[in-house]
Structures are given as C-alpha cells and as structure tokens.
Amino acid sequence: MSVIMQALVAAAVAVVLVLVGSMSPDAYCTGARRSGPRGSTKDKLNQEVQQLSVYKQRYGELKQQMDALSSN
C-alpha cells in the first residue's frame, strides 16, 4: 500500500474508534460518577453556607466596632 493509502486507513480507523468510544453507554455515565450523588453535594454545600453565615454576621459586628473606633 502506498503512504497515502496507509494514512487514509489510519485516519478512518481513528474516526471509527472515536465514534465507537463516544457512543458506548459508559461514556454517558462518567459525569455522574465523578460528581457523586446530587443530594449529598447539595447537603454539604448547605451545611457550609450555614457555617459561613456566622462569619458574615460577625464581620458586620466587627465593621461597626471599627467604624465606631475610627470616628473617635
């Protein structure tokens, strides 16, 4: 076979492999496995938000104290 034919056959094989790989049922499940169950991620984020809301409130209090001290 000539070099051009070998290159065309290699390209065709590569295209077929990519198409077969993207059409496999497992290809659609990889994103769900990486991110984990949606409920637990949402619960973890809500818990973190609750923990950080304490710091938000404390920041407001400290800012008021700083403003009071700087105005004196």
Side-chain angles (χ1 to χ4, degrees):
M1 291 175 82
S2 69
V3 175
I4 296 173
M5 285 301 288
Q6 288 177 357
L8 288 175
V9 169
V13 169
V15 168
V16 168
L17 288 176
V18 168
L19 289 175
V20 168
S22 66
M23 295 302 219
S24 69
D26 190 44
Y28 297 107
C29 298
T30 56
R33 277 187 278 166
R34 286 185 196 143
S35 65
R38 291 181 187 259
S40 66
T41 304
K42 186 177 180 181
D43 292 340
K44 286 179 184 179
L45 290 176
N46 284 335
Q47 185 179 14
E48 286 183 35
V49 168
Q50 288 175 347
Q51 290 173 351
L52 293 175
S53 66
V54 174
Y55 293 107
K56 184 178 180 181
Q57 180 183 359
R58 184 73 177 135
Y59 172 75
E61 295 170 3
L62 291 174
K63 187 171 180 179
Q64 287 177 350
Q65 290 177 0
M66 290 291 291
D67 290 340
L69 290 173
S70 65
S71 66
N72 290 334

